[in-house]
Amino acid sequence: MPITLISPDESKSLFPFFKAPAACGFPSPAADYLEQKLSLDQLLIQHPAATFFALAQGSSMQDVGIFDKDILIVDRSLKPSNGDVVMCLLDGELCVKTLYRRGHSVELQSANPAYTPIILDDGQTLDVWGVVIHVVHSLR
């Protein structure tokens, strides 16, 4: 499965940021609340040197909000914790799954009931590339 890596641009783009919460029921004159400029890379990326972007493929993680063609923001500097969504290489195959450690065993779970959990056995190799910290999902 090919993966597209996108490097964050050195020049940061700043966008208007309305600090007041956006009501999803009644319109609000948000222009009165323009407070500052917002850089999405500053908001979403804590460790720029250890962060990369990847393109999601498939439906196995849909129940955690990761859909086909979403952009994943992955931080390689974070130590994976139990229950983290990780990008990993399992026996040479790149995948995104939820990581669980149960005693000495490791389990990778999809977030779609159509997929069965993967319980690693002694002959398998697992390399965790990083923790998925954000997902960019288009509504169109």
Side-chain angles (χ1 to χ4, degrees), residues 1-133:
M1 166 178 65
I3 183 165
T4 306
L5 298 180
I6 306 166
S7 298
D9 188 3
E10 292 296 321
S11 63
K12 299 179 190 305
S13 299
L14 298 175
F15 299 94
F17 176 53
F18 295 91
K19 227 173 174 181
C24 293
F26 298 100
S28 168
D32 294 340
Y33 295 97
L34 182 58
E35 302 259 343
Q36 61 190 31
K37 297 284 186 175
L38 174 69
S39 167
L40 289 177
D41 51 346
Q42 287 177 341
L43 177 68
L44 300 176
I45 300 172
Q46 292 180 332
H47 309 107
T51 300
F52 66 93
F53 298 86
L55 186 64
Q57 181 180 3
S59 62
S60 71
M61 297 302 287
Q62 68 185 21
D63 290 353
V64 293
I66 298 175
F67 299 94
D68 192 44
K69 298 186 175 86
D70 281 353
I71 302 288
L72 307 176
I73 303 175
V74 184
D75 190 332
R76 293 180 56 92
S77 71
L78 300 176
K79 181 180 178 185
S81 296
N82 210 32
D84 277 345
V85 175
V86 297
M87 176 175 277
C88 55
L89 200 60
L90 174 62
D91 294 331
E93 185 176 331
L94 194 58
C95 61
V96 175
K97 301 290 179 208
T98 304
L99 176 72
Y100 290 101
R101 292 185 182 109
R102 290 179 168 75
H104 293 291
S105 69
V106 174
E107 184 174 316
L108 297 173
Q109 289 186 2
S110 297
N112 181 334
Y115 296 84
T116 58
I118 301 166
I119 300 172
L120 274 66
D121 57 33
D122 289 337
Q124 292 184 288
T125 60
L126 177 69
D127 295 314
V128 176
W129 283 18
V131 176
V132 178
I133 54 171

